[in-house]
């Protein structure tokens, strides 16, 4: 029986690392090609349960480079073909949807999302390049398992979050649970992986969902809530962006301590986050707490 295989295509948050216009301390190391930090593209993973058909979770702006860098995703066995048979979106953020525009060219796959995220795409004519006669748009319901690709049982669930930056409104709720931000649970061969690339907080329901997983991939956007302000690159806190910090009493390391989880991996990591730097005090603190830091090209087999 083949194993559940997960490829990290992109491990950075919106902007990637280094970000095109940033010279924060962490980006400056990356621009200098310092060996302590490797460049990262924006958040996306691929999974297969049969070794042949892959589902992408999110479509990052760098999707073409990500496919080229991952031979299992190359077309094989025909003139117009792809092992990518499904794409699922966890929110409507640019880092998660812009890559859809590069998946045109008449290749059939199924695009899965909540009704709200399908509406966001539907309201934006440019996504019409994915001809609905070729790319089927399928609506997912919470807690209704579907096989995204053969053998990959997939269940979505709401996660505390917020609408995408370009859809923010004066009356939006940050940290609400709805269709705008979701997590994804994968089951195959008796194993379970839970993927939550964005979370504003850990609700009781989310804790229960993560407990007992073989692997979790979790929102690693910021080390501390005021990181972007302290780095001198912005005015927003992490919480305002819908991302809880990793560190501190109200951070994710603390919120998920004590759960029975096989491997804990931070993903969707912002370019300002010092955890990106090998050997930094923050990296050591995360590792000492049992966490791994995702990098592009990371492969997880369970
Ligand atoms: C986020 O995760 O907060 C967004 O990707 C921000 C953005 O759109 O750059
Ligand atoms: Mn994002
Ligand atoms: Zn930066």
């Amino acid at each position: 029986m083949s194993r559940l295989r997960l490829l990290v295509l992109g491990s950075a948050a919106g902007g990637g690392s280094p970000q095109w216009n940033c010279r924060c301390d962490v980006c400056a190391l990356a621009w200098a090609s310092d060996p302590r930090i490797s460049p990262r593209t924006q958040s996306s993973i691929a999974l297969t349960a049969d070794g042949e058909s892959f589902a992408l979770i999110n479509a990052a702006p760098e999707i073409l480079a990500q496919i080229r860098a991952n031979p299992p995703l190359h077309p094989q066995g025909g003139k117009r073909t792809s092992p990518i048979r499904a794409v699922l979106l966890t929110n409507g953020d640019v880092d998660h949807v812009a890559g859809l525009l590069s998946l045109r060219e008449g290749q059939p796959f199924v695009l899965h999302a909540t009704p709200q995220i399908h509406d966001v795409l539907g309201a934006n004519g440019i996504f019409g390049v994915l001809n609905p006669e070729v790319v089927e748009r399928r609506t997912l319901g919470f807690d209704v398992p579907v096989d995204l690709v053969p053998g990959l049982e997939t269940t979505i669930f709401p996660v505390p979050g917020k609408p995408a930056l370009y859809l923010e409104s004066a009356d939006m709720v940050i940290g609400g649970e709805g269709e705008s931000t979701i997590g994804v649970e994968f089951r195959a061969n008796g194993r379970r992986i839970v993927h939550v690339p964005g979370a504003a907080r850990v609700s009781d329901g989310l804790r229960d969902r993560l407990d007992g997983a073989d692997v979790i991939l979790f929102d690693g956007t910021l080390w501390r809530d005021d990181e972007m302000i302290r780095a001198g690159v912005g005015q927003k806190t992490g919480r305002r962006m819908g991302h809880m910090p990793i560190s501190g009493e109200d951070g994710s390391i603390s919120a998920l301590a004590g759960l029975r989880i096989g491997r804990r991996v931070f993903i969707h990591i912002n370019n300002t986050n010092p955890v990106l730097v090998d050997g930094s005090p923050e990296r050591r603190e995360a590792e000492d707490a049992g966490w791994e830091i995702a990098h592009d090209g990371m492969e997880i087999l369970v």
Side-chain angles (χ1 to χ4, degrees):
M1 194 187 281
S2 42
R3 299 164 76 185
L4 184 48
R5 181 179 187 194
L6 184 155
L7 308 173
V8 175
L9 308 184
S11 48
S17 167
Q19 181 173 304
W20 75 282
N21 62 343
C22 194
R23 276 199 70 84
C24 71
D25 290 348
V26 180
C27 284
L29 285 181
W31 288 123
S33 302
D34 189 290
R36 288 171 293 173
I37 183 165
S38 51
R40 283 169 168 85
T41 60
Q42 294 166 76
S43 166
S44 173
I45 62 172
L47 292 105
T48 184
D50 66 1
E52 286 175 12
S53 306
F54 282 81
L56 297 190
I57 313 306
N58 295 315
E62 302 93 332
I63 193 161
L64 298 183
Q66 293 174 338
I67 290 170
R68 287 180 196 133
N70 285 273
L73 302 181
H74 294 180
Q76 34 225 320
K79 296 235 166 159
R80 277 294 171 94
T81 175
S82 171
I84 299 170
R85 306 283 159 72
V87 178
L88 185 160
L89 304 174
T90 63
N91 63 20
D93 283 355
V94 172
D95 53 350
H96 288 164
V97 305
L100 291 174
L101 301 177
S102 297
L103 296 181
R104 63 195 188 284
E105 320 296 0
Q107 182 65 36
F109 64 92
V110 182
L111 179 56
H112 299 266
T114 62
Q116 183 178 332
I117 298 304
H118 276 308
D119 286 349
V120 169
L121 301 182
N124 193 326
I126 198 167
F127 291 103
V129 297
L130 297 178
N131 178 353
E133 286 177 14
V134 177
V135 177
E136 185 194 342
R137 299 188 184 194
R138 218 175 279 172
T139 291
L140 291 176
F142 292 134
D143 294 307
V144 181
V146 295
D147 280 4
L148 277 193
V149 287
L152 184 68
E153 186 183 307
T154 305
T155 308
I156 65 161
F157 55 91
V159 172
K162 75 160 183 63
L165 186 57
Y166 60 92
L167 297 170
E168 288 190 357
S169 59
D171 60 352
M172 69 171 176
V173 178
I174 298 176
E177 289 189 359
E179 290 181 8
S180 63
T181 307
I182 61 168
V184 196
E185 181 174 87
F186 306 99
R187 289 175 191 265
N189 309 330
R191 300 302 180 116
R192 190 161 69 92
I193 297 179
V194 186
H195 180 50
V196 180
R201 63 190 163 81
V202 175
S203 60
D204 291 344
L206 182 52
R207 259 180 78 86
D208 290 346
R209 183 82 61 169
L210 297 167
D211 200 13
D214 293 286
V215 181
I216 66 166
L217 295 101
F218 197 81
D219 184 346
T221 308
L222 298 179
W223 179 256
R224 45 186 301 158
D225 191 45
D226 60 355
E227 177 174 310
M228 309 226 344
I229 300 166
R230 290 162 66 105
V233 298
Q235 293 307 316
K236 278 188 193 165
T237 62
R239 291 192 186 283
R240 171 63 188 76
M241 296 191 296
H243 296 291
M244 67 190 297
I246 293 177
S247 67
E249 275 176 17
D250 54 355
S252 50
I253 287 180
S254 162
L256 302 179
L259 299 185
R260 298 157 301 145
I261 295 169
R263 283 177 75 177
R264 302 159 187 252
V265 181
F266 282 121
I267 195 163
H268 189 280
I269 306 162
N270 198 54
N271 62 80
T272 50
N273 192 332
V275 86
L276 290 172
V277 182
D278 289 344
S280 68
E282 294 84 0
R283 168 71 71 90
R284 271 191 248 114
E285 193 177 324
E287 288 175 345
D288 287 348
W291 286 82
E292 299 171 62
I293 307 304
H295 56 86
D296 293 18
M298 184 179 199
E299 185 171 342
I300 293 174
L301 279 170
V302 294

